[in-house]
Amino acid sequence: SPVTDWQWWLGPVAILLALVFAVIASLIVDFIAGALGVQIGSASNLPGGLIIVDTVVQDAIFVLTAVFLARSGLRKVSSAQFGLLRTPRWRAAGLVVLTFGVFLLISLIWAEVIETKTTERLLEQLGTNEGTALLIGSAALTCVVAPICEELLFRGFVFTSLRNWRGPWPAAVVTGLLFGLVHATSAPVVYLLPLAVLGFLLCVLYRATGSLYACMAAHCLNNSIAFGALEGWGWQIPVLLVASLLAIFALMLAATRVGLISGGSAGPPPLPAAAG
């Protein structure tokens, strides 16, 4: 994965600032929605459509914060520094499946150990059972927007910055823990450790492929299966996965066409290196 001169402490600062700015942005969106006549109850009982809009804005803030900090000191920033580079497709696809397989195995073991019966209520809060529009919006948020924006922040910026501290492995551990903690407001506590493991594995995948696209695909794979499982779906899950991957591809292609992404290919896999 690309090497940069970003100071290691920029990663944790990015998480902190992104969360603060995301909260402020959500309050502004909610205020505007209320002024336009949207019925808003308590902060924990917002309409599903408004929660979707809030979350999309928050994810956009994640990316903008990372780009802003990457440009600190008047640095020139390229999409390649965030890992937006092509990589051999079949090798990447194999590593994506392997990454998800390892995560799935760890998750199953974790579920057996803790024997939890906790139910995820996020999709219910998003209003997936209240109409087709909210269902599609929730799916797009979960399986397209989140994989793009979260990977740009966590793997593209935070992990890349932290590698300049003690090397890739400690950076992967810290990034994974931060990834799990950030989901504390949207996932049950018992799921935070598996999410931290997923965050770690995605860092390993990024290092192995040199491309953030592989991480987006793995993230999309996980979220699509989780979304479909929570909805009680069967054949719809592969349809959701394919549609989501195509949407991510289309968005990345559009960003390339307008010049936001410069293109280019990842180099060969890095040789093992000692931390330092």
Side-chain angles (χ1 to χ4, degrees):
S1 49
V3 177
T4 72
D5 62 349
W6 297 335
Q7 292 93 334
W8 70 267
W9 50 266
L10 286 174
V13 168
I15 300 294
L16 179 60
L17 290 181
L19 292 175
V20 172
F21 292 152
V23 169
I24 294 173
S26 293
L27 291 175
I28 294 174
V29 170
D30 292 349
F31 175 80
I32 295 173
L36 293 175
V38 176
Q39 296 298 318
I40 299 177
S42 64
S44 60
N45 192 32
L46 295 175
L50 184 55
I51 295 177
I52 292 174
V53 173
D54 280 347
T55 309
V56 170
V57 170
Q58 290 169 4
D59 284 345
I61 292 294
F62 281 4
V63 176
L64 292 175
T65 302
V67 172
F68 173 78
L69 289 178
R71 292 176 59 89
S72 61
L74 300 180
R75 292 185 181 90
K76 291 184 178 180
V77 177
S78 69
S79 58
Q81 291 175 299
F82 281 87
L84 296 176
L85 296 164
R86 295 187 298 273
T87 190
R89 295 176 183 176
W90 290 112
R91 178 178 181 274
L95 290 173
V96 165
V97 173
L98 176 62
T99 299
F100 179 72
V102 172
F103 171 67
L104 181 60
L105 177 61
I106 293 173
S107 297
L108 292 174
I109 294 173
W110 177 250
E112 287 296 322
V113 169
I114 63 174
E115 297 181 350
T116 181
K117 292 184 174 59
T118 302
T119 302
E120 173 65 72
R121 296 186 62 250
L122 177 60
L123 298 189
E124 179 183 334
Q125 295 170 348
L126 293 175
T128 57
N129 59 345
E130 297 177 12
T132 303
L134 288 178
L135 178 62
I136 294 175
S138 300
L141 169 65
T142 305
C143 306
V144 178
V145 177
I148 292 175
C149 295
E150 290 182 8
E151 290 311 310
L152 282 167
L153 174 62
F154 284 96
R155 258 58 61 181
F157 186 71
V158 176
F159 172 63
T160 302
S161 300
L162 284 172
R163 284 184 313 181
N164 294 328
W165 174 43
R166 297 290 182 182
W169 297 111
V173 171
V174 174
T175 303
L177 291 173
L178 291 172
F179 183 74
L181 288 173
V182 163
H183 287 84
T185 58
S186 60
V189 174
V190 293
Y191 294 158
L192 298 186
L193 182 58
L195 284 170
V197 172
L198 176 61
F200 170 83
L201 291 174
L202 288 171
C203 291
V204 176
L205 176 63
Y206 182 35
R207 178 167 167 77
T209 62
S211 173
L212 205 66
Y213 295 133
C215 298
M216 291 179 184
H219 200 144
C220 175
L221 172 61
N222 175 73
N223 287 14
S224 297
I225 292 176
F227 187 98
L230 290 171
E231 287 291 314
W233 286 354
W235 61 267
Q236 298 94 330
I237 294 178
V239 173
L240 172 63
L241 174 59
V242 172
S244 299
L245 289 174
L246 288 175
I248 291 174
F249 174 79
L251 289 171
M252 295 298 101
L253 180 61
T256 301
R257 292 287 176 84
V258 301
L260 291 177
I261 297 175
S262 58
S265 301
L271 296 175

